[in-house]
Amino acid sequence: MVSFITPRDASAELARVIAGETAHFEFPGLTDARFGAISGFVFRLLSHYDLVYLNEMVLVLLKEIISNCSKANAKRIYFEQQQATVTSNEEYDRAIRNFSQHVLREWDLFLQEHQHTEHYIHVDFRVSDDEILFVIENNIELMPREVERIQKKFESFRKFQD
């Protein structure tokens, strides 16, 4: 497991993936430097399989998913610090407004202060037969309000064919 992606780590992990093993990266939150390293890793991985034309699309998806995991982890840390009880929708909405004002505006500082947290994002890359598999997850459980918001988003996405 690699906790931070450096060019040396990326090269070693790329060799692992090509050999049929899983590359596993773990970090508490997404920063520009971490995403830059992930981008380089993904570009080299796709290049190896002559799939560079997918690079931009894959990176957009990875960034969205990893960013969501990162914000979810930051919310948990913030809620714990504030001893916020978020059992109702109203309490959750109020806590989110405060989170946005105090954390999202100072994202890099917040991540720096909480780089040694129990909340982590796990990103795995595997290759098998004719597919490249990306697995992204964090180690927190969704709150009921978050599940509700996700379901509403999926419902609105179903309206579109693309």
Side-chain angles (χ1 to χ4, degrees):
M1 172 190 50
V2 177
S3 60
F4 185 74
I5 305 168
T6 65
R8 175 180 276 176
D9 297 332
S11 295
E13 292 301 304
L14 179 60
R16 289 171 49 86
V17 172
I18 292 169
E21 298 176 39
T22 299
H24 179 79
F25 301 101
E26 183 176 276
F27 45 91
L30 189 63
T31 61
D32 289 340
R34 288 183 183 132
F35 190 72
I38 290 170
S39 297
F41 175 84
V42 168
F43 180 79
R44 288 190 292 281
L45 178 63
L46 294 173
S47 294
H48 179 80
Y49 293 101
D50 198 26
L51 297 170
V52 174
Y53 65 93
L54 295 174
N55 191 63
E56 187 175 339
M57 180 177 51
V58 168
L59 289 178
V60 166
L61 294 171
L62 286 175
K63 188 167 189 177
E64 180 69 18
I65 295 167
I66 295 170
S67 293
N68 286 342
C69 289
S70 194
K71 285 186 237 174
N73 286 353
K75 279 192 288 186
R76 293 309 179 280
I77 294 166
Y78 180 77
F79 291 170
E80 289 168 8
Q81 283 179 329
Q82 301 301 310
Q83 299 176 348
T85 307
V86 288
T87 54
S88 73
N89 287 348
E90 295 79 23
E91 292 167 338
Y92 179 86
D93 292 342
R94 184 174 42 258
I96 286 297
R97 280 191 300 276
N98 291 334
F99 167 78
S100 297
Q101 291 173 352
H102 296 103
V103 175
L104 295 181
R105 291 188 182 161
E106 299 293 331
W107 184 252
D108 289 335
L109 179 62
F110 182 83
L111 288 179
Q112 185 178 2
E113 290 174 355
H114 298 91
Q115 61 185 319
H116 301 292
T117 178
E118 66 207 32
H119 304 296
Y120 284 91
I121 300 164
H122 307 276
V123 180
D124 291 347
F125 299 91
R126 282 188 292 251
V127 174
S128 63
D129 297 329
D130 61 346
E131 65 184 8
I132 298 175
L133 180 65
F134 306 95
V135 178
I136 302 142
E137 57 190 6
N138 59 3
N139 63 343
I140 60 166
E141 189 173 331
L142 290 171
M143 295 178 171
R145 176 70 168 145
E146 293 168 330
V147 171
E148 181 182 311
R149 291 180 66 203
I150 291 168
Q151 289 172 339
K152 285 182 181 178
K153 285 182 183 181
F154 278 128
E155 288 171 18
S156 69
F157 293 153
R158 288 190 185 109
K159 298 175 189 173
F160 304 99
Q161 295 298 317
D162 59 351

